[in-house]
């Protein structure tokens, strides 16, 4: 697919991220204005509430864009999603509307420079489930703790493994994250202590945003699951590795993951990602029929992780990988989620699991990059890191590249602040 040329000149940049091919959805506000729904075009945020009130787009329900979340619009379903996307393409493409027309004037007045707005959490997260579906990551972590021969648990090649996380602490990019505290247990001590996390980490993930609900007691197929997904965000599932190591047996992560999950401000739709579909990897063990996919369900999205310590003048890119590395697609994860009869809601968020490639330069967590802290990273700016330190800012980026354009997600950033109440008398 080639670039859809727009009369908004900044939308036609090869590496801009927000061409007319993209049209992601988000929520923004400016000084003195309540948050409303928007899309991105070039260097601008376009107010969808103003366009709907002017009769230029139809969101499926009155004032559906006069909201601080996309949930109302997502609930309108695929017909409304497609209609608004096509209406925007018609309005914004070259020769779509006449220069100087009333429509053109309304659109121009509804555009605000991205640098002048505040992006908000794009949707109200109903529930949050985080999967463990990256094979390279699973094998790396398993090798560290169980040895290469037992790296994957017996069920891993058969079933998308996951845990239910906290929707209450999903935050939008740019939100500072306070270092968590919890119980830590060092091998040399008989009892745990309560102290700030010392092995704070990231997990580079994609998040699938559920637009359409399912009914309790009624599983959905993989194809039906794909159609339920409104779009995708970048997702950083912050992880306290030392807290996790003590608490995770036998029920899995709890406080080690509950303190924060960051997502990018733009939800990139399935329609925008359609040209970039790729298949999941070949199966050495066939999946059960309910998980089989009949069409490509992953996406070719280049991803990178950067870190900027407080004392560094610039960021350092520490990983580059691709979403196509996943073993299970979001549609397979969602189909499995409903297989027991579990009901899904508009606004549910599914984390993909850490996305790591086969090469050391393509790892999605510091746990892997430093091999559990045994091989610290030396950044180009001179700092040394095994895990994240206070003042560090972590940045995730993603883009799918087409013919003369790229579909971007915006950045997913977070800065680590010190623990609120340092614990006295902690053993090293």
């Amino acid at each position: 697919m080639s670039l859809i040329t727009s009369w908004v000149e900044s939308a036609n940049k090869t590496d801009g991220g927000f061409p007319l091919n993209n049209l992601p959805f988000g929520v923004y506000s400016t000084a003195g204005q309540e948050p409303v729904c928007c899309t991105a075009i070039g260097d601008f945020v376009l107010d969808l509430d103003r366009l709907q009130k002017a009769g230029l787009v139809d969101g499926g329900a009155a004032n559906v864009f006069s909201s601080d979340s996309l949930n109302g619009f997502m609930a309108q379903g695929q017909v409304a999603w497609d209609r608004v996307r096509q209406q925007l393409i018609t309005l914004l493409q070259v020769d779509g509307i006449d220069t100087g027309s009333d429509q053109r004037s309304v659109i121009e007045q509804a555009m605000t420079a991205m640098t002048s707005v505040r992006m908000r959490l794009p949707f109200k997260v109903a529930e949050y489930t985080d999967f463990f579906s990256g094979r390279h990551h699973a094998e790396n972590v398993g090798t560290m703790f169980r040895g290469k021969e037992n790296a994957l648990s017996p069920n891993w090649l058969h079933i998308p493994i996951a845990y239910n996380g906290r929707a209450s602490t999903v935050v939008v990019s740019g939100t500072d994250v306070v270092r968590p505290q919890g119980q830590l247990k060092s091998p040399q001590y008989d009892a745990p202590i309560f102290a700030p996390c010392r092995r704070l980490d990231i997990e580079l993930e994609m998040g699938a945003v559920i637009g359409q609900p399912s009914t309790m007691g009624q599983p959905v197929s993989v194809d039906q699951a794909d159609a339920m997904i409104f779009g995708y965000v970048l997702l950083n599932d912050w992880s306290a590795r030392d807290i996790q190591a003590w608490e995770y047996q036998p029920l899995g992560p709890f406080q080690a993951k509950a303190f924060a999950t960051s997502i990018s401000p733009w939800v990139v739709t399935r329609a925008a990602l359609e040209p970039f579909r790729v298949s999941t990897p070949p199966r050495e063990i066939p999946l059960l029929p309910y998980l089989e996919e009949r069409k490509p369900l992953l996406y070719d999205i280049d991803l990178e992780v950067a870190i900027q310590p407080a004392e560094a003048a610039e960021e350092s890119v520490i990983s580059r990988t691709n979403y196509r590395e996943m073993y299970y697609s979001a549609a397979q994860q969602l189909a499995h989620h409903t297989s027991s009869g579990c009901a899904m809601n508009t606004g549910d968020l599914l984390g993909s699991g850490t996305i790591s490639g086969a090469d050391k330069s393509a790892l999605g967590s510091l746990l892997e990059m430093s091999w559990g802290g045994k091989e610290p990273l030396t950044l180009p700016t001179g700092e040394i890191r095994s895990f994240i330190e206070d003042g560090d800012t972590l940045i995730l980026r993603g883009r799918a590249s087409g013919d003369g354009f790229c579909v971007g997600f915006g950045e997913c950033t977070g800065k680590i602040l010190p623990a609120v109440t340092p614990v006295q008398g902690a053993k090293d």
Side-chain angles (χ1 to χ4, degrees):
M1 185 176 185
S2 300
L3 172 72
I4 305 173
T5 309
S6 172
W7 55 262
V8 181
E9 293 185 4
S10 60
N12 302 323
K13 295 185 292 186
T14 303
D15 60 350
F18 298 111
L20 197 46
N21 303 66
N22 191 349
L23 296 175
F25 289 87
V27 172
Y28 88 108
S29 64
T30 59
Q33 175 192 324
E34 293 297 312
V36 293
C37 300
C38 62
T39 187
I41 182 72
D43 296 334
F44 299 93
V45 165
L46 179 58
D47 190 318
L48 293 175
D49 181 41
R50 295 180 68 173
L51 294 194
Q52 182 170 28
K53 287 175 177 175
L56 298 183
V57 296
D58 177 8
N63 300 317
V64 74
F65 295 124
S66 300
S67 174
D68 62 355
S69 81
L70 292 168
N71 294 52
F73 174 58
M74 293 193 297
Q76 301 306 306
Q78 187 71 54
V79 172
W81 307 345
D82 291 344
R83 180 176 59 243
V84 170
R85 178 177 172 81
Q86 189 54 57
Q87 288 170 336
L88 289 170
I89 290 174
T90 300
L91 292 169
L92 295 168
Q93 66 186 356
V94 165
D95 301 326
I97 52 177
D98 294 332
T99 303
S101 66
D102 290 343
Q103 287 184 332
R104 178 79 166 253
S105 177
V106 169
I107 295 169
E108 289 174 336
Q109 292 175 25
M111 294 169 60
T112 306
M114 284 189 182
T115 54
S116 300
V117 306
R118 176 184 174 187
M119 296 304 299
R120 304 290 189 130
L121 191 69
F123 61 98
K124 291 180 180 177
V125 183
E127 310 269 2
Y128 169 46
T129 304
D130 190 46
F131 283 82
F132 184 55
S133 294
R135 182 165 184 174
H136 295 298
H137 174 71
E139 288 180 331
N140 287 335
V141 174
T143 298
M144 284 182 218
F145 296 105
R146 294 186 298 273
K148 191 171 183 180
E149 301 77 14
N150 300 304
L152 292 180
S153 57
N155 60 354
W156 201 92
L157 295 173
H158 298 269
I159 186 173
I161 298 170
Y163 72 95
N164 286 308
R166 290 290 301 175
S168 61
T169 46
V170 176
V171 296
V172 72
S173 172
T175 304
D176 292 339
V177 174
V178 176
R179 180 175 295 273
Q181 301 179 87
Q183 286 198 23
L184 317 178
K185 171 66 169 62
S186 298
Q188 63 268 39
Y189 296 111
D190 295 330
I193 61 170
F194 188 87
C197 166
R198 299 166 182 176
R199 293 165 68 90
L200 186 58
D201 200 359
I202 61 160
E203 289 188 341
L204 168 63
E205 303 190 27
M206 296 292 297
V209 182
I210 308 306
Q212 289 290 278
S214 68
T215 303
M216 183 176 176
Q218 297 184 14
V220 303
S221 69
V222 171
D223 286 345
Q224 290 170 327
D226 186 50
M228 289 168 59
I229 298 172
F230 176 69
Y232 292 81
V233 293
L234 299 175
L235 187 150
N236 180 356
D237 190 39
W238 302 92
S239 300
R241 299 298 185 189
D242 42 5
I243 296 173
Q244 183 177 354
W246 174 238
E247 74 175 5
Y248 83 102
Q249 294 182 352
L251 296 181
F254 182 38
Q255 294 299 85
K257 302 277 192 171
F259 62 97
T261 299
S262 299
I263 64 171
S264 54
W266 296 107
V267 183
V268 176
T269 63
R270 279 189 298 108
L273 293 173
E274 193 66 29
F276 308 103
R277 283 187 182 265
V278 293
S279 296
T280 53
R283 308 293 170 177
E284 58 193 73
I285 298 176
L287 295 174
L288 292 175
Y290 81 99
L291 285 174
E292 292 177 352
E293 55 184 10
R294 298 186 298 175
K295 63 180 181 180
L297 290 173
L298 280 178
Y299 299 97
D300 182 5
I301 302 172
D302 290 320
L303 302 166
E304 73 174 30
V305 180
I307 184 171
Q308 184 164 359
E311 64 271 24
E314 59 187 18
E315 68 177 45
S316 298
V317 175
I318 55 177
S319 178
R320 289 188 173 93
T321 186
N322 193 289
Y323 184 44
R324 68 187 305 163
E325 294 285 354
M326 301 308 298
Y327 194 77
Y328 296 101
S329 67
Q332 289 171 310
Q333 293 170 339
L334 179 54
H336 178 66
H337 211 325
T338 69
S339 63
S340 66
C342 172
M344 305 302 295
N345 300 310
T346 296
D348 280 352
L349 175 65
L350 305 185
S352 64
T354 306
I355 306 167
S356 292
D359 189 79
K360 189 168 184 178
S361 65
L363 302 176
S365 68
L366 284 164
L367 178 69
E368 296 168 88
M369 295 178 207
S370 70
W371 204 250
K374 297 176 182 178
E375 301 173 10
L377 290 72
T378 300
L379 305 179
T381 48
E383 295 82 10
I384 297 174
R385 291 290 185 273
S386 293
F387 293 96
I388 302 169
E389 297 186 8
D390 291 348
D392 288 350
T393 298
L394 277 296
I395 309 107
L396 311 185
R397 299 188 180 94
R399 55 188 288 172
S401 298
D403 181 11
F405 72 96
C406 70
V407 169
F409 289 77
E411 293 183 342
C412 179
T413 69
K415 180 179 180 180
I416 297 300
L417 303 182
V420 172
T421 307
V423 177
Q424 302 298 319
K427 300 175 183 177
D428 293 327

